[in-house]
Amino acid sequence: TAVDRFIESRETADIAVNPDDGDDSALDFSAVAALPMVEEISRVRGVLILSRANSISTMEDLLAGPIAIGTADGGLWRFNRPVLLEGRMPDPDALDEVYLDRTYASAAGHRVGDLIEAAIPSSDDLDRLMDAEAQGEEAMVAVVSAPDFGTPVDLRVVGIGNGLEGVVVDESFEPQSALITPALYRSLGEPSMGWWGAAVRLTSHDQVDTFRSTVAAMVPDEKVVFQTRDVTRAKALRGTGPAAVALAIFAAVTAVLGLLIVWQAISRRCQLDARDNVTLAAIGTTRGERAATAVTRLTLSAAVGAIIAVLVAIGLSRFTPVGPARNAEPDPGWDLDAPVVLGGALLWFLIVSAIGAVPA
């Protein structure tokens, strides 16, 4: 259930809009936001982050940092929020805090609390870089290496996690992103690497197709890429499903084997106790009384076992779920899923008592 609880608790967007022409697109963001089926929308832009700690001598060095996402409206704090595996979301009013996607943090060796010495180019800096593009790689590297290129910013990593698209990632297509705060993005003049997108929540998820066709009709001569929540959810479920099925099969096999072992132990115990039946009968106990004594002992031990099982389940819940579903879990830590755990304990108690009543 982790994937669907992720979507509900993080208020994942129904659809994302990405014009292929980026900042040159004729698609009017305000017109998209004004559509009647749009409940909430947030515009995001790509922001270049450079490392001040490492010199840049090639285009590969230039693109080695994370592709940061900047938003002036704070939409990714209100909805379409990531799941945090470590730390917290940056304070939207802070100028020195950053969130990292888990795949980039892992590749770069960053942990919560690390300081990233960065330089973030303004819109004017990026214009200079684009002007140098026609002259080739060396000219672009020279522009980036200039001491006045980019605003120096020391960013403290306060949170690491992933969005729904990062629950299951394909090799070589891992998200390599960071999220800078709205305050920092505005202070930099809202720069852009040339592309923008919009995360959209609709008044009804059933309107995804209508929204997509309406937006595409706004710019019929352009290609607009849409990423729907349904497709991303299906990919996440394909990644988490096999582990869920395997655990269910393991639980079923374990339950059957456990019941066989318990039944065997109960039967052996009753056979041993039966050696005293002649003596107990001689002092006046009836067959029903002897059976009731055996059943009472059995139900007490079954109850104790069920209680211990519940405590163990709660204790181990901190380490679940396992596999890719762990990246989707919106509420990690200790937890009691009462219908499953308490219901399972009661069912176990009743079954053990029932199978023990026969030999008793």
Side-chain angles (χ1 to χ4, degrees):
T1 64
V3 171
D4 287 330
R5 287 186 292 108
F6 179 119
I7 292 171
E8 182 179 359
S9 67
R10 316 321 288 171
E11 297 180 284
T12 302
D14 294 285
I15 192 168
V17 182
N18 298 102
D20 255 14
D21 291 347
D23 291 342
D24 296 327
S25 173
L27 183 62
D28 185 352
F29 172 78
S30 60
V32 176
L35 291 173
M37 72 279 287
V38 173
E39 180 175 333
E40 197 164 13
I41 188 170
S42 176
R43 183 172 182 166
V44 298
R45 292 182 183 271
V47 181
L48 185 63
I49 290 187
L50 304 174
S51 172
R52 301 202 320 266
N54 301 316
S55 60
I56 297 175
S57 57
T58 65
M59 286 298 294
E60 186 176 343
D61 296 334
L62 176 64
L63 301 174
I67 301 299
I69 295 174
T71 174
D73 58 25
L76 300 183
W77 276 257
R78 297 193 314 273
F79 75 103
N80 206 42
R81 300 180 299 274
V83 154
L84 292 169
L85 305 178
E86 297 180 53
R88 59 173 174 83
M89 283 292 286
D91 182 339
D93 296 322
L95 299 175
D96 60 348
E97 295 183 353
V98 67
Y99 156 91
L100 299 181
D101 184 273
R102 65 178 178 87
T103 53
Y104 172 73
S106 177
H110 288 309
R111 300 294 302 272
V112 169
D114 287 355
L115 187 69
I116 299 176
E117 297 178 350
I120 301 180
S122 65
S123 296
D124 291 340
D125 292 327
L126 291 172
D127 288 341
R128 289 162 50 198
L129 183 62
M130 293 301 100
D131 291 340
E133 184 178 14
Q135 304 173 39
E137 180 178 329
E138 291 185 4
M140 296 180 71
V141 170
V143 169
V144 173
S145 301
D148 62 341
F149 186 84
T151 302
V153 180
D154 289 334
L155 299 174
R156 181 73 61 183
V157 179
V158 297
I160 296 174
N162 55 255
L164 183 62
E165 73 286 346
V167 171
V168 179
V169 296
D170 298 323
E171 190 175 354
S172 301
F173 291 94
E174 300 93 343
Q176 300 285 320
S177 61
L179 180 60
I180 62 175
T181 65
L184 176 58
Y185 184 61
R186 290 192 296 265
S187 73
L188 296 168
E190 302 184 17
S192 171
M193 291 178 62
W195 63 267
W196 68 271
V200 185
R201 286 184 67 212
L202 303 175
T203 54
S204 171
H205 187 66
D206 295 336
Q207 294 181 310
V208 166
D209 291 337
T210 303
F211 173 84
R212 177 161 42 191
S213 60
T214 302
V215 172
M218 290 179 174
V219 282
D221 298 329
E222 289 186 34
K223 181 181 179 182
V224 180
V225 177
F226 298 94
Q227 296 166 294
T228 64
R229 187 182 75 191
D230 290 340
V231 171
T232 308
R233 174 181 177 272
K235 177 184 175 182
L237 290 176
R238 285 197 300 271
T240 60
V245 172
L247 286 172
I249 294 173
F250 174 75
V253 171
T254 303
V256 171
L257 292 176
L259 286 171
L260 289 174
I261 293 171
V262 168
W263 179 82
Q264 187 180 45
I266 292 171
S267 180
R268 186 183 304 115
R269 180 72 262 175
C270 289
Q271 289 174 1
L272 292 174
D273 291 343
R275 294 180 301 181
D276 297 327
N277 282 349
V278 174
T279 304
L280 292 172
I283 61 175
T285 62
T286 66
R287 180 179 180 183
E289 289 171 338
R290 295 194 296 273
T293 301
V295 170
T296 300
R297 284 203 300 256
L298 168 65
T299 54
L300 286 175
S301 61
V304 171
I307 292 171
I308 293 174
V310 169
L311 296 177
V312 170
I314 295 172
L316 293 179
S317 67
R318 181 177 178 84
F319 306 101
T320 61
V322 296
R326 194 169 186 84
N327 300 325
E329 176 55 54
D331 187 23
W334 284 289
D335 184 54
L336 172 62
D337 188 342
V340 173
V341 176
L342 300 182
L346 177 61
L347 183 62
W348 175 263
F349 170 78
L350 294 175
I351 293 175
V352 168
S353 299
I355 66 172
V358 177

